[in-house]
Amino acid sequence: MNLRTRSASSPFLGFSGYQWLVIAAAWAGWGFDVFDALLFSFVAQNCIPTLLHLPLGSAAAHAATLQWTGIITCVLLLSWAIGGVLFGWLADRIGRKGALFTTIALYAVGTALCALAANIAQLIVFRTIAALGIGGEWGIGAALVAESVPEGRRVQAGVIMQTASPLGIVLASGVNYLVAGVWFGADPHTSWRYVFLAGLAPLLLAVLVRAFLRESARWEASQARRLQPNPRQLFAPQLLRATLSGAFVAVTAVLTWWACSAFIPLLGGTLAAEHAARAGLGPLAARQLTAAWQAHASNAFNFGGLLGALAAVPLAQVFTRRGLFGTYFVFSAASIGLTFGLTLEPQTRLALLFLVGAGVYGVFGVLTFYLPELFPARLRATGAGFCYNIGRVFAAAGPLVVGLVSAAAGGASGTLMGILFWVALAPLAAACLVPLLVVETRGRVLPT
C-alpha cells in the first residue's frame, strides 16, 4: 500500500499524509522566509554603525541606524514586490515545486552573503538578492497548499501555514540573542556577521522540497488545458474586482505590519538603552539588556500574531470574509493606539505588543486562504503574489517615513512611539472601506 492510499484511509485532522507534507513544506518555507527577512532588524544597531565606521552607542550611530533601517527596509520591500510578481508568474509557468525550491535557495544564500558585506552598498545588494526569493515564496506556498487540501479544510490549512511566520521571527530573535547577546556579545562589531550566516539554514529545506514534493495536480490540469499565465489577465474585466480586493486588504495588512514590526526590535533596544543609562549599567550589561528587551518586544508581538492567526479558524466559521477583515482592522487600530498612545512603564508597553501582534499580525492568517480563493489555477500564484507584494510597494513608505522622521527628531523612544501611534489610521480607514472593496468568497469552491 503506497503513501497516498494509506493517508487517504486514515487522515489526521482532515488531511492525508501527503497533504501534511505539503503543509509542512510551505509552513517551513514561510517560517524561514520571515526568519531570514527579519534578521536585519535585530542586528541593525550594530551592523549599520560598523559599516559606516561610527562609534557604537553614540548619538550619531543611533540616528544613522534609524535612517538606514528605514532606507534598507524600503529597498527590501520593493525587491520583495518584484520577486513576488516574478516568481509567482514563474510558478504558474513552470510549476509550484521548482519555483518554491528556487525561492528558498535564493533567500538563504542572499542572507548569508550579508555576513560578508564590507559597506552599506554591498549590504543593500545582498539584501536585494535575498529579498527576491523572500518575496516569491509566500504566494507559491499559499497556492500549493490551497490546491492540495480538501475544499472544506482550506481555512485550517492556510492558518497552519501562517503560524510559521511569527515563529520564524521568534527563531530570529532567539538566534540573535544567543549569537549577538551571549556567544559573541563581547564583540558587537562582528557578532552581526554570524547572525547573518545563520540564514543559510533553509538550504536543507530547499533540498527536501526538491526531493519529496510532487507537482500540484490542479496546476497540471490547467497546463493540460493549455491555459498559459499572463499577468495582464489579472486586470481583465472578469478578474479586475478580485485583484483590487486582494490588493486592498494586502496593502493595508502589509503596510501596518511593516510600519510596526520593522522598528519593534529597535524600540525594545532603545527602551533598554535608556533604562541602562538611568541605572548606570556597564557596556556589557547594557548590551545584554538590549538583546533581552529586543527579544521580549519581538516575542510579545509574534506570539500575539500566532494567537491572532489561530483565531482566524473559529472566526471564519462565524464571520464572512468581509467581517473577518473588518474585525482584524478595527482591533489593530485600537491596539496600536493604546500601546503607543498611553504613558506606560517600559515593561508594560513591551507586554502590550502582544495585542498589537494579535491584530496587525493575526490578519495574515486570513490572507493565506483568502488570496488563493480569488484566482483560477492558471493565475493563482501570480495573483496571490501580485496582491501580497503590491502591498509591499506601498508598505515601503512606512518604514522609510518612520525611520527618517524619527532620526530627524533625535530617535528617542518617545519620538518613535509618537510616530507609531499614527500608524493606527491605516487599519482604521481600511475597516471603513471593507464593505465597499472586499469581494466575498466564503463558501466558494476554489476556482479551477
Side-chain angles (χ1 to χ4, degrees):
M1 184 181 293
N2 60 30
L3 174 62
R4 185 177 293 185
T5 303
R6 288 198 307 269
S7 60
S9 61
S10 56
F12 176 63
L13 298 180
F15 301 113
S16 70
Y18 180 72
Q19 288 165 352
W20 274 114
L21 179 63
V22 172
I23 293 170
W27 182 89
W30 180 222
F32 276 124
D33 180 312
V34 176
F35 167 76
D36 274 16
L38 268 292
L39 286 178
F40 170 73
S41 296
F42 290 98
V43 302
Q45 63 184 19
N46 289 333
C47 169
I48 291 174
T50 298
L51 295 178
L52 293 176
H53 307 291
L54 297 173
L56 296 181
S58 66
H62 186 65
T65 298
L66 285 168
Q67 178 178 342
W68 281 102
T69 294
I71 293 172
I72 292 175
T73 302
C74 176
V75 172
L76 184 71
L77 286 166
L78 293 175
S79 302
W80 282 9
I82 295 170
V85 174
L86 173 64
F87 285 106
W89 171 83
L90 187 68
D92 285 333
R93 184 79 178 182
I94 70 169
R96 316 309 193 207
K97 177 180 174 179
L100 186 62
F101 166 82
T102 302
T103 57
I104 296 173
L106 189 62
Y107 72 62
V109 172
T111 300
L113 285 173
C114 293
L116 307 178
N119 52 55
I120 289 289
Q122 290 182 8
L123 179 68
I124 292 175
V125 169
F126 297 147
R127 289 296 284 165
T128 299
I129 293 172
L132 293 173
I134 290 169
E137 190 279 334
W138 185 89
I140 301 168
L144 183 60
V145 167
E147 292 171 350
S148 301
V149 302
E151 287 287 343
R153 306 296 291 174
R154 195 162 57 244
V155 170
Q156 291 84 347
V159 170
I160 290 171
M161 175 184 162
Q162 176 57 27
T163 61
S165 181
L167 292 177
I169 303 184
V170 170
L171 179 61
S173 172
V175 167
N176 176 69
Y177 176 73
L178 288 174
V179 175
V182 179
W183 297 340
F184 300 97
D187 188 6
H189 292 91
T190 59
S191 62
W192 58 272
R193 297 186 185 274
Y194 297 103
V195 174
F196 276 130
L197 280 178
L200 274 176
L203 274 182
L204 177 60
L205 172 64
V207 173
L208 295 176
V209 164
R210 194 70 175 177
F212 295 107
L213 285 191
R214 299 192 295 267
E215 190 50 78
S216 164
R218 289 178 183 262
W219 176 81
E220 289 180 331
S222 73
Q223 294 301 293
R225 296 193 298 271
R226 300 184 182 277
L227 300 175
Q228 293 299 321
N230 186 334
R232 287 178 295 182
Q233 295 169 5
L234 296 176
F235 302 96
Q238 62 269 31
L239 283 178
L240 179 59
R241 188 158 183 263
T243 301
L244 294 177
S245 175
F248 164 67
V249 293
V251 166
T252 303
V254 176
L255 173 62
T256 307
W257 189 86
W258 270 104
C260 293
S261 69
F263 294 93
I264 281 177
L266 188 59
L267 175 62
T270 301
L271 289 170
E274 292 171 353
H275 178 79
R278 290 193 299 267
L281 299 182
L284 180 58
R287 285 196 295 270
Q288 291 176 338
L289 182 68
T290 295
W293 281 27
Q294 280 183 319
H296 185 183
S298 179
N299 290 342
F301 180 76
N302 293 302
F303 280 121
L306 178 61
L307 181 63
L310 291 172
V313 174
L315 290 175
Q317 306 304 313
V318 178
F319 293 109
T320 63
R321 301 298 189 251
R322 289 173 179 165
L324 279 172
F325 284 115
T327 299
Y328 275 103
F329 289 155
V330 169
F331 186 86
S332 297
S335 60
I336 292 171
L338 289 173
T339 301
F340 300 117
L342 298 178
T343 301
L344 303 167
E345 291 296 319
Q347 294 283 26
T348 303
R349 198 180 306 279
L350 295 180
L352 282 177
L353 290 172
F354 180 90
L355 296 180
V356 177
V360 169
Y361 215 158
V363 69
F364 287 86
V366 184
L367 289 180
T368 52
F369 57 83
Y370 178 69
L371 295 183
E373 290 174 344
L374 293 171
F375 303 101
R378 74 181 188 279
L379 289 168
R380 184 161 293 125
T382 302
F386 172 80
C387 291
Y388 194 90
N389 288 287
I390 197 66
R392 287 170 170 162
V393 173
F394 287 94
L400 180 63
V401 170
V402 173
L404 292 176
V405 173
S406 183
S413 63
T415 301
L416 185 56
M417 288 183 293
I419 297 169
L420 290 172
F421 170 79
W422 292 104
V423 174
L425 291 178
L428 185 62
C432 299
L433 296 173
V434 161
L436 298 175
L437 298 180
V438 172
V439 171
E440 185 55 57
T441 59
R442 184 183 181 187
R444 286 188 186 178
V445 175
L446 196 68
T448 59

